[in-house]
Amino acid sequence: MNLSKSKYCKAVQCEKMLWLDKYKKEVKEEIDNESVLENGTNVGELAKKLFGNYLNIEFNNDLNKMIDDTKRALENDTVIITEASFVYNNNFCSVDILKKDGDKYEMYEVKSSTHISDIYLDDISYQYYVLTSLGLNITKASIVYINSSYVRQGELELDKLFKIKDLTDIVISKQEEVARRILELESVMKSKKEPKVDLGNQCFSPYDCPFFKYCSRHLPEKNVFDIKGLYLNKKVEYYKKGIISYEDLINSDISNKYKEVIDFELNDKEDKINSEEIKKFLKSLYYPIYYLDFESYQESVPSYDGISPYMQVPFQYSLHIENKDGTLNHKEFLAEGGIDPRRVLAERLVKDIPRDSCVLAYNMSFEKRVIKYLAGLYEDLSDDLMNIHDNIKDLMIPFQNRSYYSKNMHGSYSIKYVLPSLYPDDPSLDYHNLSMVHNGSEASDSYFKLSTLSGAELKELRENMLKYCGLDTYAMVKVLKKLKDSI
Ligand code: SF4
């Protein structure tokens, strides 16, 4: 078979990507474009239940078997078929949900996203093309996606969790484009010659391309695509104008904010320290300081009441407490796996942080959002939670303002860059030296795993999760120390 839905969508992003995937796989890099776990609840499976009883065409590596099974199901007048599979001129597709009504059909593509992006339209337009080319009378082409404003209360209400958008008119208007693209792709894929496609927005949108390193190998090591915080459109605009290297950029009209970063990179400058600003920040703090960091998970399908799809649900925190004499205490919380962690976490948090304490977070908007959400849920804890919320200060500010800037921050104020640039050779602050859990997404994966483990395995994972989160707040203690030392 030539094409599938996913290959077609890849080619819509960039035909060279599809070609490289076939002929130069060895230059492909691993890229994780999936940011949210489904936590075992498969959105696709749930969406199918929206339509009542259905017959599922089992996946088979032999696609012809799936196509034959579909034919049989249609001959038997099955009303709802999931993964109904078809091929037209070597172009294959499986339709998530196909509804048969006499000689008319409706097709539904399921997405676990909360919005409809352009690439979904290409996806369903390709399917429509295959089915209508085979002579099927498709009266409706729709996308089923997640309703972000749904809040679970009691049993899951599938009709509220999902939204369905009828896109038939748009899909029909794209049919000429699909036919043309399929023809073009046939010749591109037959050719052994690498297609000539220049770098552009398509390298990062809608998904990061795994061949970027290969395609950008002609660029200087430090180039416009490395500038943190600069909009993609702007990067591409400079690239197309030939303003590519850092030397080019420093002489361009790029804003001073970026010129400063480039200046540091090119000229190996000493750290920039604005003592007055740092003093002002330090003055706003008072002891004991409670360094707070949450870990949270997101689910497309909320497991508990009061949760919306993709809401951040906190399950763990670490709290380092620094006294005026520099001594440290540590408190931590990690919910049991398989339970609703919110209430227990909120109760512990208000016990662990006395009222009117000075609370420090790094990028506090996340911690504030979580605490405000918990305060809205639990009236009896609301006052104490909002007291914590109102007393949070942000350790990121001096770095965001560049009151402290060092070359190795590379224009970023994320703690991922700030910490190693302040402590380049400290193995105790190196997340690579942790085992099992090294970042937030591994922490949330691990939380979901807890309920499946027991005994030594459970103990080991919990310990490593605690170590990871503990390092987050210990790192903040060290970052503040560096600020204090700098003045
Ligand atoms: S890096 Fe850009 S040009 Fe190269 S294959 Fe990917 S999308 Fe196409």
Side-chain angles (χ1 to χ4, degrees), residues 3 8 121-122 124-130 171 173-185:
L3 285 178
Y8 179 82
L121 298 177
D122 292 302
I124 194 163
S125 298
Y126 167 79
Q127 297 175 51
Y128 183 96
Y129 172 82
V130 172
V171 164
S173 72
K174 284 175 84 75
Q175 289 308 294
E176 270 182 36
E177 179 193 325
V178 177
R180 185 178 23 85
R181 184 168 272 133
I182 288 177
L183 263 184
E184 282 167 13
L185 285 173

Side-chain angles (χ1 to χ4, degrees), residues 13-14 16-17 20 197-200 202-203 209 211-212 215:
Q13 184 171 346
C14 175
K16 186 175 172 185
M17 197 198 301
L20 288 169
V197 180
D198 197 9
L199 299 173
Q202 84 281 0
C203 305
C209 175
F211 296 102
F212 184 73
C215 291

Side-chain angles (χ1 to χ4, degrees), residues 106-118:
E106 294 176 7
M107 53 190 284
Y108 297 85
E109 170 70 14
V110 181
K111 297 292 179 194
S112 54
S113 170
T114 55
H115 62 276
I116 296 175
S117 63
D118 288 349

Side-chain angles (χ1 to χ4, degrees), residues 82-127:
T82 60
E83 306 305 332
S85 302
F86 302 89
V87 67
Y88 172 70
N89 265 355
N90 274 333
N91 301 307
F92 173 84
C93 76
S94 287
V95 178
D96 287 343
I97 297 158
L98 187 71
K99 185 172 174 183
K100 185 174 194 285
D101 180 10
D103 62 352
K104 295 182 185 138
Y105 296 85
E106 294 176 7
M107 53 190 284
Y108 297 85
E109 170 70 14
V110 181
K111 297 292 179 194
S112 54
S113 170
T114 55
H115 62 276
I116 296 175
S117 63
D118 288 349
I119 198 76
Y120 300 166
L121 298 177
D122 292 302
D123 186 341
I124 194 163
S125 298
Y126 167 79
Q127 297 175 51

